[in-house]
Amino acid sequence: MKLRVIQVGVGGFGRGWVEVLARSKEVEVTGLVDLNEDVLREAGERLGVDELFTNFDEALGKVEADAVLDITPPAFRTEITLKALKAGKHVLSEKPLALTMEEAKAIVRAADEAGRVYMVSQNYRFNPVPRTIRKLLEERARGELGYVLVEYQMGRRGKSGDFRLEMDYPLLVDMSIHHFDLMRYLLDSDVEWVQVESFRPSWSWYRHDPSFFMVMKMEDGTLISYAGSWVARGFETTWNGRWRFACSEGSLLWDNDKLYLSAGTKGRRKAELVDMPLTNQDYSLHEFVSAVSEGREPETSGRDNIRSLAVVFASVLSARTGRRVKVEEVLG
Ligand SMILES: NC(=O)c1ccc[n+]([C@@H]2O[C@H](COP(=O)([O-])OP(=O)(O)OC[C@H]3O[C@@H](n4cnc5c(N)ncnc54)[C@H](O)[C@@H]3O)[C@@H](O)[C@H]2O)c1
């Protein structure tokens, strides 16, 4: 039987999710919610759904559904998720899980108490390159991992009204969660501490710091150097960034969305990637539906994801105070 889903937030990134739902054979969309009636109508036509609402409470009350897909901006996440869980729905939401640790914990607790699945679509890890890197590191394809360098440099413009242009630490709070979650996944280890220097280049079009340099240590002892910017001009990386895994017998390089293995210490060859029939949000949705039907915790459940989110809060605290912050300190 198909999982009946209400999608909340169908404009912006939600548009892509409308397409994911349209091509999924595992779900049936029973209702759509958005404050903007134009995007709501557009999504309704695309999916052939006429249960359209500008108010989430009304949708919850009127539409038969097993789950809620929340693609609204983060400020609405906690309210929507808690209401959905209280109404007995499973919830799949976009990142970030929440804007504060207290809210994140409340969501994880509410999902436990309701006995419902709560998953964050941390889509970057659901792709062939990261799946292959994890496998190669586990197999020690280039020997012992020594350290990791991550460089993420984009000139992200943002449309007028984009919440990221005005928020504090936009890159750390809105984007770095993907890279932090990737680090945890790729190294199969949690982050122990972070030390961040955050700054705002003179030409920045963001109100607050869109750039940082950071050093972090994983619980397995690996050191990571991570440099990010949303106001880079020229020589941009992709959204995934550029990753170097320095090992005792050579290196792995994730560059321009391709994965290379060094041959010894010189030369390179493209790595053969693991096969994935579904990737990105299509994989997230499939993992969510499978977890619901199998009654198990999904890979990026709230309980797991709170450990990636905690790295964001630890980084902001480090940027604010200038001190090294242990992730345990914010996890509590
Ligand atoms: N995983 C990724 O790669 C990725 C990429 C972009 C955005 N996102 C995430 O997706 C979420 C949405 O971001 P966005 O860029 O689409 O934002 P956005 O502001 O462009 O669009 C959000 C949509 O939600 C609607 N909305 C806002 N508040 C609502 C409410 N209370 N009830 C119903 N609808 C409401 C808006 O009208 C709009 O159509 C964020 O959490 C963001 O971090 C994830």
Side-chain angles (χ1 to χ4, degrees):
M1 212 173 75
K2 289 187 177 183
L3 194 75
R4 297 165 304 172
V5 176
I6 298 174
Q7 181 177 339
V8 194
V10 296
F13 201 60
R15 279 204 169 88
W17 271 103
V18 166
E19 295 305 317
V20 171
L21 295 182
R23 58 183 174 251
S24 169
K25 296 187 172 45
E26 299 179 294
V27 300
E28 178 194 349
V29 183
T30 49
L32 298 170
V33 186
D34 202 293
L35 304 179
N36 178 328
E37 294 192 9
D38 293 336
V39 296
L40 191 55
R41 205 172 316 112
E42 201 183 299
E45 279 167 20
R46 174 68 184 96
L47 291 167
V49 173
D50 48 20
E51 295 284 8
L52 309 178
F53 302 87
T54 52
N55 180 304
F56 179 55
D57 295 319
E58 212 180 311
L60 262 188
K62 288 198 178 150
V63 173
E64 296 270 330
D66 309 297
V68 167
L69 173 62
D70 176 21
I71 319 296
T72 59
F76 306 99
R77 181 90 62 248
T78 304
E79 189 190 339
I80 290 172
T81 305
L82 292 180
K83 279 181 178 169
L85 290 170
K86 201 165 171 211
K89 315 297 178 198
H90 303 280
V91 180
L92 172 60
S93 84
E94 255 310 328
K95 42 60 63 174
L97 199 171
L99 287 177
T100 66
M101 212 56 200
E102 291 66 35
E103 289 181 352
K105 283 181 182 169
I107 289 175
V108 173
R109 206 169 35 239
D112 271 353
E113 284 167 10
R116 291 292 178 268
V117 170
Y118 175 74
M119 171 175 163
V120 180
S121 173
Q122 209 67 72
N123 55 308
Y124 280 42
R125 62 158 78 189
F126 299 137
N127 280 293
V129 171
R131 298 271 143 176
T132 307
I133 293 173
R134 172 146 163 173
K135 181 168 163 283
L136 292 173
L137 291 176
E138 273 169 2
E139 291 168 354
R140 294 171 181 245
R142 286 296 176 268
E144 192 86 33
L145 177 66
Y147 57 89
V148 181
L149 296 177
V150 186
E151 187 196 350
Y152 169 72
Q153 299 287 312
M154 292 192 92
R156 183 189 175 283
R157 279 285 159 189
K159 297 193 190 94
S160 86
D162 183 346
F163 62 88
R164 300 161 188 88
L165 294 167
E166 291 300 322
M167 70 195 282
D168 282 1
Y169 303 103
L171 176 52
L172 271 181
V173 172
D174 188 68
M175 178 65 206
S176 290
I177 181 81
H178 287 300
H179 299 135
F180 295 147
D181 186 69
L182 277 170
M183 290 166 191
R184 291 185 53 241
Y185 170 70
L186 295 171
L187 274 61
D188 193 17
S189 177
D190 280 315
V191 179
E192 187 187 330
W193 56 254
V194 295
Q195 171 83 57
V196 184
E197 191 67 33
S198 155
F199 59 102
R200 183 177 181 277
S202 61
W203 64 88
S204 173
W205 51 91
Y206 286 81
R207 184 190 63 76
H208 200 260
D209 296 355
S211 310
F212 58 78
F213 294 132
M214 134 163 27
V215 179
M216 47 210 299
K217 191 173 181 190
M218 305 300 284
E219 283 181 357
D220 70 1
T222 309
L223 280 170
I224 301 181
S225 158
Y226 174 32
S229 181
W230 256 351
V231 293
R233 315 209 74 179
F235 304 119
E236 293 183 36
T237 63
T238 61
W239 289 95
N240 287 308
R242 186 177 196 269
W243 297 59
R244 170 192 289 262
F245 298 85
C247 305
S248 56
E249 312 297 326
S251 298
L252 272 59
L253 184 68
W254 183 8
D255 188 22
N256 213 9
D257 294 340
K258 299 194 174 49
L259 181 61
Y260 303 96
L261 283 156
S262 69
T265 52
K266 295 202 175 63
R268 64 159 79 175
R269 69 169 173 81
K270 251 190 187 167
E272 201 174 305
L273 301 182
V274 297
D275 187 37
M276 291 180 75
L278 296 173
T279 59
N280 267 311
Q281 289 97 308
D282 297 274
Y283 188 101
S284 295
L285 182 66
H286 172 69
E287 169 68 4
F288 175 67
V289 175
S290 307
V292 169
S293 72
E294 292 161 22
R296 65 165 168 87
E297 199 169 314
E299 181 174 325
T300 50
S301 65
R303 199 192 320 278
D304 175 83
N305 197 252
I306 206 166
R307 307 192 79 81
S308 295
L309 186 69
V311 186
V312 174
F313 297 137
S315 301
V316 169
L317 185 58
S318 174
R320 281 213 169 103
T321 59
R323 67 178 171 86
R324 180 182 287 183
V325 176
K326 285 197 164 184
V327 175
E328 213 48 54
E329 180 183 331
V330 299
L331 261 176

